[in-house]
Amino acid sequence: MTESQNFHSGFIAIVGRPNVGKSTLLNHLIGQKISITSRKAQTTRHRITGILTEGATQFVFVDTPGFQTQHTNALNRSMNRVVTSSLREVNVVLFVLEARHFDERDQQVMELLPQDRPVILVINKADLLENKAELLPFIEKISALRHFAAIVPVSARQGKQLDTLLDAIRPFIPEGEHLYAEDEITDRNERFLAAELLREKVFRFTGEELPYSVSVVIEQFKQEGKLRRIHAAILVDKEAHKAMLIGSKGEKLKEIATQARLDMEKLFDGKVFLEVFVKVRSGWADSAHMLKTLGYE
């Protein structure tokens, strides 16, 4: 037996409807924030890869957008394509549900799950249940709908039961050389991560008042030693949205940019000079050409 045969490496898709905690789960599994989170349903729009190497086993997690069942513009169709293509390309699927919640949106995602590879049911937010016995009838109800290779209740936010989840995944990771270096945590570059962190702050600091038609473009990214100079544009659909984002005397935009810069400095381990502008690009979310320009699949 050669040394390489002792190594295991495989892809694990994290799927579920919006807001079940997929990105929080990914971030806690790899121990670093690479996938943005907020209460908005369209927070994750791209396929985000998170890499965890534990000894001879390398877990390559693929965080997918929440499967969109409501609106049908080009952006949502793009996100749904990411979900379905990811399911075809992985070794294991984590189907994430919120404890005691299962509705038609979860059902639609369940119908996409492949029959030809292991699916592990991950019941998130289990810590929010006062009586843990309430989980048993819920587990019975869901496991009657299809076969699962394993069922693991977790708290992604608190990082609880994640070792148990990794142990459930491990038997399904095939033998093979590691695909990434041991210290890599994602295959996304810093430019992409900077755009995502800024977009997260837009969602977090505008609440429900700003529609989903917001995107971020990094127009300039220069590294000078440990300093990164980043010029970013936030794209909105209407002038009214622009005013909403900038806020009175520019205070809202300043707050968004400051919080995004602090997150970037933490992730990149260096100083960041960040300039942010707001630009109106009407109809970008329903333009296939614009979406391709913005890096959507």
Side-chain angles (χ1 to χ4, degrees):
M1 181 182 282
T2 65
E3 192 180 344
S4 66
Q5 286 177 298
N6 294 322
F7 286 100
H8 290 74
S9 189
F11 290 88
I12 306 106
I14 305 175
V15 300
R17 67 166 166 80
N19 279 359
V20 290
K22 298 181 298 296
S23 297
T24 302
L25 179 62
L26 173 68
N27 291 339
H28 277 81
L29 280 165
I30 66 164
Q32 181 67 275
K33 180 176 182 171
I34 58 163
S35 193
I36 66 173
T37 61
S38 88
R39 294 183 184 278
K40 287 213 172 200
Q42 288 188 356
T43 307
T44 301
R45 291 179 179 168
H46 302 268
R47 187 193 326 244
I48 312 284
T49 300
I51 303 151
L52 172 67
T53 305
E54 282 196 343
T57 305
Q58 189 168 78
F59 303 85
V60 185
F61 294 98
V62 183
D63 183 20
T64 62
F67 194 78
Q68 306 296 312
T69 59
Q70 301 293 316
H71 314 287
T72 55
N73 63 13
L75 173 60
N76 285 353
R77 288 193 295 273
S78 163
M79 291 192 288
N80 285 350
R81 278 196 303 274
V82 170
V83 178
T84 51
S85 66
S86 295
L87 288 170
R88 290 194 296 268
E89 299 162 3
V90 298
N91 305 102
V92 191
V93 177
L94 303 184
F95 176 41
V96 185
L97 292 180
E98 194 173 326
R100 289 185 59 215
H101 289 89
F102 186 88
D103 60 26
E104 66 279 357
R105 296 168 300 165
D106 300 295
Q107 180 66 44
Q108 282 183 276
V109 180
M110 185 181 270
E111 287 166 9
L112 297 172
L113 299 176
Q115 297 295 332
D116 60 348
R117 65 208 64 195
V119 176
I120 294 173
L121 176 60
V122 181
I123 302 175
N124 192 24
K125 307 184 185 180
D127 56 305
L128 299 181
L129 295 181
E130 286 185 24
N131 182 3
K132 298 297 185 281
E134 294 175 31
L135 264 184
L136 292 174
F138 179 71
I139 288 171
E140 285 176 10
K141 172 187 167 185
I142 306 306
S143 42
L145 299 175
R146 66 158 289 149
H147 170 72
F148 293 103
I151 299 172
V152 186
V154 304
S155 168
R157 188 171 55 88
Q158 294 184 354
K160 288 183 177 175
Q161 285 282 95
L162 299 191
D163 285 343
T164 304
L165 178 58
L166 290 174
D167 287 342
I169 297 167
R170 209 180 301 271
F172 304 110
I173 302 297
E175 278 195 10
E177 291 281 4
H178 288 177
L179 303 166
Y180 301 94
E182 276 193 33
D183 58 350
E184 283 187 85
I185 58 167
T186 183
D187 63 349
R188 289 293 194 171
N189 61 30
E190 289 189 358
R191 193 183 189 106
F192 172 87
L193 294 170
E196 287 290 276
L197 289 173
L198 178 55
R199 189 165 63 84
E200 175 188 66
K201 297 304 177 252
V202 171
F203 278 3
R204 289 207 168 190
F205 287 97
T206 55
E208 294 302 318
E209 59 200 289
L210 194 70
Y212 295 111
S213 44
V214 174
S215 196
V216 171
V217 180
I218 303 296
E219 298 184 326
Q220 190 179 92
F221 191 111
K222 288 183 178 175
Q223 190 164 348
E224 302 164 5
K226 295 260 301 184
L227 171 70
R228 290 158 178 83
R229 295 185 183 277
I230 303 171
H231 293 236
I234 301 171
L235 305 186
V236 295
D237 215 37
K238 298 174 182 172
E239 285 290 341
H241 302 160
K242 180 177 179 178
M244 205 181 289
L245 254 178
I246 292 172
S248 174
K249 298 180 181 175
E251 286 302 311
K252 177 79 75 178
L253 186 60
K254 184 179 177 183
E255 185 178 29
I256 288 167
T258 299
Q259 294 303 317
R261 177 181 58 77
L262 291 172
D263 266 11
M264 290 176 199
E265 290 181 339
K266 188 175 177 183
L267 183 60
F268 302 151
D269 192 26
K271 279 294 196 187
V272 170
F273 173 81
L274 177 65
E275 266 199 303
V276 181
F277 305 91
V278 184
K279 299 181 178 181
V280 178
R281 293 284 186 276
S282 298
W284 72 264
D286 212 13
S287 162
H289 173 71
M290 273 296 288
L291 289 169
K292 195 169 182 182
T293 305
L294 292 169
Y296 291 95
E297 296 179 38

